[in-house]
Amino acid sequence: MFDYIKGQFISSSINSMVIEVGGIGYLLNASNQTIINCENKDSVKVFTYMYVREDEMSLYGFYSVNEREMFLDLISVGGIGPKLAIQILSSIRLEDLALSIATGDASYFTKIKGVGKKTAERIILELKGKVNTIDFAGGSTVSGSSQSNGDAIEALMTLGFSKADAVRAISKTDADLTLEEKITAALRMLGR
């Protein structure tokens, strides 16, 4: 129904904010990241999603199209409603969320109130092939497509790093580096 709202940020509370457009204050359910991105700005553009059920009609706001797409992906998972999806988006950076799904790392999800191990596994199972990690990671590949990247990721995991941290670090290394150079560069990024 609405693609976006452009107006003045008025106020916020936990997981919601008010944007005024033409003298009307719209109450938007939103993640902490969206609220932080909108605060202290004269004019904001917030992408929206209207959730309609027989007993509820709510408007959700997002600072980017990617955040809205992730929200829509999350609510497509059985057992994940819009409020839990906003809670997930408030708890994990969008890039980390996409990377966790792509790498099958459920540890980020289980730290969120309302998300247990089974729900985390369901999110990963249902969204693993659906979420395009390149869109969420600012254009860098996160899949470790070459054999060298895969070996470097495995080496970092052997050293005790999570798969998500290893993939993130290796994706930021230069493609022309040798295996040893990639591991060394990734260790520097990871603080070792």
Side-chain angles (χ1 to χ4, degrees), residues 52-80:
V52 179
R53 264 184 21 190
E54 61 187 52
D55 61 340
E56 178 184 354
M57 190 163 68
S58 302
L59 195 57
Y60 289 82
F62 309 94
Y63 71 93
S64 70
V65 172
N66 282 343
E67 187 186 31
R68 181 173 62 186
E69 290 303 315
M70 182 62 79
F71 172 84
L72 294 173
D73 287 340
L74 287 169
I75 64 173
S76 74
V77 174
I80 305 287

Side-chain angles (χ1 to χ4, degrees), residues 97-113:
L97 180 57
L99 191 58
S100 295
I101 292 167
T103 59
D105 184 1
S107 64
Y108 278 104
F109 295 106
T110 56
K111 298 174 188 173
I112 302 168
K113 183 180 177 185

